[in-house]
Amino acid sequence: HNYQRTDIFIEDTSRFNYFALREPNREAFINRYLDICLKSRFVLCPRGHGTSSIRLFETMQMGLIPVIISDKWIPQIGPDWESFSIRVKENQIQQLPEILARYEDRWIEMGDLARKNWEAWFQPEDEFDYLVDRLVEVKNNRWIDERIMRLTWPIILLKLYVRRKLSPLKRHLVKLVGR
């Protein structure tokens, strides 16, 4: 997107693989990324291969405001996401300057809250405890006993598989009937 403004910087970095240790110019890319972030108030955190992105947590760690661009993102339990992050629907990208302008007077406060929430919930030394707590929570709140789930899981998977395979056929039939 071209917003015709000098205070907005957007770059497609999807071809860069952060986790490939032998990526050419890896260190230069990381340093440039950090330099741009440290000059920013807001950092776009579009969905990655899943519904979230590691950039969300990097942004929080740097004390910047994450702008979460993902229609299917589900907030993790714990942080007060509403106090420091901004959610933008994927089809609202064109309105980003107007959306972010609404938060311009709160960027310092929101950045501080992002860092505090990162410290409270995502520091590396706390990751294991956080993960275990979430797993215990899942176990305590399950509504189907694991033994029953183990028995029915193959049936559920088969049903999903059949539905996925029949979906294109169903769309085709709807088009034929609609003519």
Side-chain angles (χ1 to χ4, degrees), residues 39-63:
K39 292 176 184 174
S40 302
R41 297 177 179 177
F42 307 98
V43 176
L44 303 184
C45 302
R47 60 172 297 164
H49 290 290
T51 59
S52 191
S53 165
I54 191 67
R55 183 165 293 151
L56 170 62
F57 304 100
E58 295 169 343
T59 301
M60 291 172 65
Q61 185 177 9
M62 288 187 276

Side-chain angles (χ1 to χ4, degrees), residues 20-175:
L21 298 178
R22 292 193 175 105
E23 178 83 35
N25 305 316
R26 182 177 191 274
E27 190 171 331
F29 177 87
I30 292 170
N31 288 335
R32 183 166 176 264
Y33 167 68
L34 290 173
D35 185 51
I36 291 168
C37 285
L38 294 174
K39 292 176 184 174
S40 302
R41 297 177 179 177
F42 307 98
V43 176
L44 303 184
C45 302
R47 60 172 297 164
H49 290 290
T51 59
S52 191
S53 165
I54 191 67
R55 183 165 293 151
L56 170 62
F57 304 100
E58 295 169 343
T59 301
M60 291 172 65
Q61 185 177 9
M62 288 187 276
L64 302 169
I65 303 169
V67 180
I68 302 163
I69 304 170
S70 175
D71 293 344
K72 296 182 180 178
W73 180 77
I74 298 172
Q76 288 178 277
I77 293 171
D80 181 12
W81 295 101
E82 297 298 319
S83 70
F84 66 85
S85 67
I86 301 168
R87 300 267 315 263
V88 177
K89 293 186 181 295
E90 292 173 19
N91 66 1
Q92 292 178 319
I93 298 292
Q94 294 293 5
Q95 291 100 32
L96 268 175
E98 295 83 16
I99 292 169
L100 299 183
R102 292 183 231 146
Y103 298 90
E104 190 66 37
D105 61 336
R106 295 186 45 222
W107 74 271
I108 294 175
E109 170 197 355
M110 290 176 75
D112 288 344
L113 288 169
R115 174 65 190 195
K116 287 177 181 168
N117 275 273
W118 181 83
E119 289 172 353
W121 297 100
F122 302 116
Q123 287 193 58
E125 59 268 16
D126 298 333
E127 287 176 345
F128 180 78
D129 291 341
Y130 181 84
L131 181 59
V132 169
D133 289 345
R134 298 297 71 78
L135 290 172
V136 167
E137 195 171 300
V138 167
K139 182 179 182 229
N140 291 339
N141 292 319
R142 66 181 179 210
W143 51 278
I144 297 177
D145 186 87
E146 287 177 50
R147 290 172 294 209
I148 295 170
M149 195 63 192
R150 276 193 215 112
L151 293 172
T152 59
W153 189 243
I155 297 166
I156 293 169
L157 289 177
L158 179 62
K159 183 177 176 183
L160 290 172
Y161 175 78
V162 168
R163 184 182 304 163
R164 189 177 318 126
K165 290 295 183 184
L166 291 179
S167 184
L169 177 62
K170 181 179 167 186
R171 280 195 300 271
H172 183 69
L173 288 173
V174 169
K175 287 180 186 176

